[in-house]
Amino acid sequence: TMDCMAEGDGDERPAANLTEDCALCFALDFLCLANHCAFVCQSNEQECQACAEEHCEDDFETCSGLN
């Protein structure tokens, strides 16, 4: 399920329709990628994906409810 998605209300959350908690999950995922995978992601897409899966995917799925 997508627990972190919310109905948009026009002005306050117009584009992505994310709750604050969900937006935090995406921010934490970005930081995880930056901390663990930044170097490899600059040069190799497949290794980047593998790094993201190894280091960040489980935490993101748990945080966001997308698992």
Side-chain angles (χ1 to χ4, degrees):
T1 65
M2 293 187 166
D3 295 338
C4 71
M5 301 300 284
E7 297 277 335
D9 61 7
D11 294 327
E12 193 172 320
R13 289 184 303 242
N17 298 333
L18 301 177
T19 63
E20 287 182 27
D21 289 343
C22 188
L24 177 61
C25 294
F26 280 96
L28 292 172
D29 189 52
F30 176 80
L31 289 173
C32 180
L33 291 169
N35 288 330
H36 294 282
C37 306
F39 181 74
V40 72
C41 286
Q42 293 179 23
S43 59
N44 187 305
E45 186 175 341
Q46 290 177 331
E47 287 181 21
C48 179
Q49 180 66 34
C51 182
E53 289 173 4
E54 178 181 349
H55 294 285
C56 305
E57 188 173 272
D58 289 341
D59 288 341
F60 175 75
E61 288 180 351
T62 299
C63 179
S64 67
L66 295 173
N67 54 352

